[in-house]
Amino acid sequence: MTAADGRFDAAVTGIGMVTPAGLGTAASWDRIRAADGTAAQRVPALFGIPADIGCRVPGFDPVAAVGKRKAWRLDRSSQFAVAAAAEALADAGLDPATWDGARVGVVLGSGIGGASTWEKQHHVLLEQGSEKVSALLIPMLAVNMSAGYVAMEFGARGPNFVTATACASGSTAVGAARELLRGGHCDVVITGGTEACLIPSIISGFQQMGALSGRRDQPISASRPFDVDRDGFVPAEGAAVLILERPQSARARGAQVRAHISGYGASADAHNATAPEPSGAGAELALRAALKDAGVDARAVDHVNAHGTSTPLNDLTEARLIRRVLGGRPAVTSVKGVTGHSLGASGAIEVAVAALTVEQGIIPPTANLDSQDPEIDLDVVAKEARPADVEVAVSHSFGFGGQNAVVLLTRP
């Protein structure tokens, strides 16, 4: 639907979530609203390395999620994607058996792809030789395969690709999906992000960079966005999938519209491989682009779902950006105190949470925010969820390589 002011709105008609906060959207949303950070625990797969805490998806059964025949052929990241997509399609009331698959696209984000398969098969190579390496290594490893398997599962024969912009991947995917609707290439797009790489090689790399929290003995309180004592992020896994349609199509079939994706902006810091540009100038380009795309004044933003990684530099840089562009009015939160940082899936999870916030008028609190950094001059929601009339929300995602993506959501 093209608004009178030229804005293009994509309707969010379905949400599916597989996160450390819970299996399914309802479970994840409940735990995020409760600021329950108990998902952060020591991870058995990481035992033996110094950084052995993370946020795993609880109780995920791949056989129940994708079936026995498929479970062993899909990397965990693709299993998450298929499971979240199934929930999102059911939530949207769409039946793949009845649609024109050529008009259905899939755009997912993933920063790393099938890393756990890669690590496992590398051990096989070293210990047993090349003839024992799985013939399924490449289709399980390749970063594009999460979108490919979702298409196979649901007969989506339209445009199909994966965006890889590090920790901005999920948000980049949502922005690209909206463009497929705007350009008339699709009638429905399955979009979001997935990641599953709580494995020694990847986590050791983050540890060596100094990006992770050192609170091994206090994992539940280790991820503490905007807190004065934050010391790094807690790695996580998970997925979120959103169904996007044109609003008039959704209305015509009587679908529930949770929120509109009304703006998107992307940019590059062109500064450093791992550190944000200190002034936030690159991220500001993305935020201002999203506002312009939606035709929304900065003063109209009610809520910011922040990238909020719990790292000293990111949180301060992001806070200064928000204050400079949006002022002190928006209520800010980061869900990473509950979910941890799921890398390429994080943006999708946070866009999904922002859509629920817009729909339900509840801003979840930032978990583990005991003492807000005095340099962070923002209205950060903490301790308990806040009822609020949220007409406009933005969700920030910033990735290694200086890649930034901002999604703007509005109430239908």
Side-chain angles (χ1 to χ4, degrees):
M1 175 180 176
T2 304
D5 60 3
R7 183 178 81 196
F8 181 86
D9 288 342
V12 179
T13 58
I15 296 175
M17 300 176 75
V18 177
T19 79
L23 293 178
T25 300
S28 293
W29 178 234
D30 285 349
R31 199 163 173 182
I32 288 168
R33 283 185 304 172
D36 180 352
T38 56
Q41 301 287 341
R42 296 186 68 195
V43 177
L46 301 178
F47 289 175
I49 66 172
D52 62 358
I53 64 172
C55 295
R56 282 178 56 84
V57 172
F60 181 76
D61 181 350
V63 173
V66 302
K68 186 175 181 179
R69 291 184 61 189
K70 298 171 188 172
W72 67 275
R73 293 189 285 113
L74 273 64
D75 182 81
R76 188 171 173 88
S77 61
S78 293
Q79 294 169 357
F80 287 165
V82 171
E87 184 192 14
L89 288 168
D91 184 44
L94 288 170
D95 181 359
T98 63
W99 66 22
D100 178 4
R103 299 292 300 168
V104 180
V106 182
V107 186
L108 297 179
S110 184
I112 299 177
S116 61
T117 296
W118 171 262
E119 185 168 270
K120 179 179 178 180
Q121 291 302 313
H122 185 245
H123 285 302
V124 171
L125 173 66
L126 295 179
E127 296 167 8
Q128 302 178 46
S130 62
E131 293 184 354
K132 296 297 184 179
V133 171
S134 173
L136 293 174
L137 169 60
I138 301 305
M140 294 177 75
L141 159 70
V143 72
N144 68 297
M145 291 306 294
S146 57
Y149 281 123
V150 167
M152 295 174 211
E153 183 73 15
F154 303 109
R157 295 182 289 111
N160 184 286
F161 55 95
V162 163
T163 59
T165 52
C167 302
S169 298
S171 295
T172 303
V174 173
R178 175 170 166 266
E179 288 305 306
L180 291 178
L181 291 175
R182 193 206 298 257
H185 306 291
C186 297
D187 297 324
V188 175
V189 187
I190 303 167
T191 188
T194 188
E195 203 81 90
C197 54
L198 290 178
I199 56 174
S201 58
I202 299 298
I203 303 308
S204 293
F206 283 121
Q207 172 69 23
Q208 292 300 99
M209 290 168 54
L212 303 182
S213 172
R215 290 185 170 86
R216 287 186 65 224
D217 297 328
Q218 300 173 310
I220 292 172
S221 59
S223 181
R224 43 197 321 109
F226 304 119
D227 192 88
V228 70
D229 291 325
R230 66 192 185 279
D231 72 334
F233 74 80
V234 174
E237 61 181 7
V241 168
L242 300 89
I243 306 301
L244 301 189
E245 305 177 62
R246 295 180 187 84
Q248 65 268 36
S249 300
R251 286 197 302 269
R253 67 180 187 84
Q256 175 187 8
V257 177
R258 294 184 177 275
H260 283 169
I261 306 297
S262 300
Y264 173 71
S267 68
D269 286 353
H271 169 70
N272 184 276
T274 58
E277 198 281 323
S279 73
E284 181 174 343
L285 291 173
L287 175 54
R288 290 195 183 277
L291 292 166
K292 182 178 180 181
D293 186 29
V296 169
D297 189 276
R299 293 168 294 184
V301 175
D302 302 302
H303 169 56
V304 178
N305 192 303
H307 189 53
T309 58
S310 182
T311 57
L313 188 55
N314 173 87
D315 289 8
L316 184 57
T317 301
E318 184 175 16
R320 288 171 174 166
L321 161 70
I322 294 168
R323 185 74 188 187
R324 182 169 66 248
V325 178
L326 304 177
R329 176 178 175 271
V332 179
T333 197
S334 169
V335 304
K336 290 185 174 74
V338 174
T339 65
H341 189 356
S342 54
L343 310 176
S346 62
I349 292 169
E350 289 152 21
V351 171
V353 170
L356 294 169
T357 294
V358 168
E359 178 191 40
Q360 299 187 21
I362 300 173
I363 300 173
T366 303
N368 300 321
L369 181 52
D370 298 326
S371 180
Q372 185 168 322
D373 186 336
E375 292 191 68
I376 294 176
D377 186 18
L378 297 174
D379 176 17
V380 182
V381 180
K383 306 303 182 185
E384 60 184 24
R386 180 188 299 177
D389 186 22
V390 179
E391 294 275 357
V392 180
V394 292
S395 182
H396 293 170
S397 295
F398 311 131
F400 284 169
Q403 295 171 308
N404 309 304
V406 175
V407 177
L408 187 147
L409 302 94
T410 59
R411 184 182 298 168

